[in-house]
Amino acid sequence: MKRYSVVGLIFFLLFNIFSFGAFAATATQDILMDAKFKLGKSVTDSSLGEVVNSWGSHKVVPPLSYMWYELPSVANVVFYESYGPSDPEGFLLFNENDEVIYKGPGSISKLKINVSGVKKVAIYNKETNFSRTVSFFRLWVTDDDLTPPPAPKNLQVTPLNASASLSWDPSAAADLAGYNVYQNGVKINTSLVVNNRTTAASLANNTTYTFKVTAVDKSGNESSPSNEVSINFDTLPPAAPISLTAVTGSLPGTVDLTWKANSEADLAGYNLYQDGVKVNSAPLTTNSYQVSGIQANTSYTFTVTAVDTSGNESVHSESVVYFSRIAPAKPTHLVAVEGNAKVDLSWNAVDNATGYNVKRSTKSGGPYTTVADNIYGNIYTDSDVINGTTYFYVVTALNKTVESEPSNEVSATPQVSSTPTLVVSIAEEKVKVGQEFTSNIALKNVKNIYAEDFTLNYSTFAA
């Protein structure tokens, strides 16, 4: 608070009791207060407790009368403390233009008010039939600035890691000295905060904190508090994501990444790292992502972290390594040979192929179903077929997870074999050289042919 050499004024009025008739009046009367006063440094100076009485114990304020005192100069603030007057209607404070700037009640006990620009103080009685008795009253006057600045507005609190960032709209007070910051009702700054922002440190996890801010002027007056903001502070990071996988993307030069979604209620999203560098500028809100710009024959390492709404980031997931392989050439000269409930397939081997996929359809051009996955070698027998049904086949080559274009298409219709067969049956278990024997000869899988229609040629040889 500012100090001045002459800033205080005290009134103590003890008025004599006069009869009602002596003061009967029909017009407003102005009665100048006759009082002595002691000068002091400020209203907080205990020396201002002394007052001087010049009239005795009581005084009467007639109807329609004002008992007033004019201050030596305009005062910025007036404090009024009273054990009376108990009977007059109240008191008025006037500015230097004789305009009423404050109206006080008549029965007051230790009321304190702040009013600026006071020039005249008056006790008044507007009753028309009765005079009012004044007991004693004390008035303190100072030109110290006791008007607080406006309260700060729009306090914002942003949680950080074990701390919180506070900001608010600057106060418009011309004599602003700074701000006080209160955390859970306790001031946390040892000196005034000179900017409209600060940081609250050493905050604990999962704890509710309430903040508010006040403005303080150069006279030490403190404003009412700003809006109050409560936060539940969280520095506990989410769990690391799990089950990260990487597969060749649906578009050229891409890789598709997926992982199991986290279950935290305050989860904000995920950060994806490629070779240790974060890929995303804002947290990813889904548990999948397609990375582009993948180069052939290049190895990439990926990890994922989870981020909560307080900005806490988990440790990295287990890394997954993706090697961008070149697709192998497609197989050529695919051949199909049908048999009884089977189709035999063969094709030319492909350099750098780690395996082959055999695909089948009952319609030329597909769609095809894979009937053999990542088989070794360049031959395959499809035994899961039905005689009389025509099947269409293609084969693709694999380089680990990278698949080639399909081979040429072939077709085959499996069926029971119709190749003519000559069956010779000999009754004897052993036959010697020169020994005669009888043999049954049968020709199978032929139609409309008889024994006389064919000739059997044979030769003899020593066994």
Side-chain angles (χ1 to χ4, degrees), residues 144-180:
D144 283 359
D145 175 15
L146 299 178
T147 302
K153 297 180 180 180
N154 194 30
L155 173 62
Q156 304 286 329
V157 181
T158 303
L160 302 174
N161 187 16
S163 63
S165 174
L166 287 74
S167 63
W168 54 91
D169 293 343
S171 174
D175 60 344
L176 181 72
Y179 304 92
N180 285 329

Side-chain angles (χ1 to χ4, degrees), residues 159-202:
L160 302 174
N161 187 16
S163 63
S165 174
L166 287 74
S167 63
W168 54 91
D169 293 343
S171 174
D175 60 344
L176 181 72
Y179 304 92
N180 285 329
V181 179
Y182 292 84
Q183 175 182 305
N184 295 343
V186 178
K187 188 173 70 170
I188 60 175
N189 52 295
T190 55
S191 58
L192 291 177
V193 178
V194 296
N195 297 313
N196 61 318
R197 65 186 63 87
T198 191
T199 299
S202 301

Side-chain angles (χ1 to χ4, degrees), residues 111-112 136 141 153 157 165 185 193 226 236-237 278 290 301 334 361 399 406 433 438:
L111 173 68
K112 290 187 176 182
F136 58 88
V141 181
K153 297 180 180 180
V157 181
S165 174
V193 178
S226 68
L236 185 66
K278 189 168 71 170
Q290 185 175 78
T301 301
L334 175 63
S361 177
N399 183 2
V433 176
T438 301

Side-chain angles (χ1 to χ4, degrees), residues 154-288:
N154 194 30
L155 173 62
Q156 304 286 329
V157 181
T158 303
L160 302 174
N161 187 16
S163 63
S165 174
L166 287 74
S167 63
W168 54 91
D169 293 343
S171 174
D175 60 344
L176 181 72
Y179 304 92
N180 285 329
V181 179
Y182 292 84
Q183 175 182 305
N184 295 343
V186 178
K187 188 173 70 170
I188 60 175
N189 52 295
T190 55
S191 58
L192 291 177
V193 178
V194 296
N195 297 313
N196 61 318
R197 65 186 63 87
T198 191
T199 299
S202 301
L203 302 182
N205 291 333
N206 300 317
T207 303
T208 298
Y209 294 92
T210 300
F211 297 95
K212 58 186 177 181
V213 180
T214 61
V216 180
D217 64 20
K218 295 179 180 178
S219 297
N221 301 304
E222 187 172 17
S223 74
S224 56
S226 68
N227 58 300
E228 193 171 74
V229 178
S230 294
I231 62 168
N232 187 291
F233 193 79
D234 175 22
T235 58
L236 185 66
I242 61 174
S243 303
L244 176 62
T245 61
V247 298
T248 302
S250 56
L251 299 175
T254 63
V255 57
D256 290 335
L257 300 165
T258 58
W259 56 92
K260 186 177 180 180
N262 279 47
S263 60
E264 287 86 0
D266 62 343
L267 185 74
Y270 306 91
N271 288 332
L272 174 63
Y273 293 84
Q274 175 181 316
D275 297 327
V277 179
K278 189 168 71 170
V279 172
N280 51 295
S281 57
L284 305 175
T285 56
T286 61
N287 59 318
S288 63

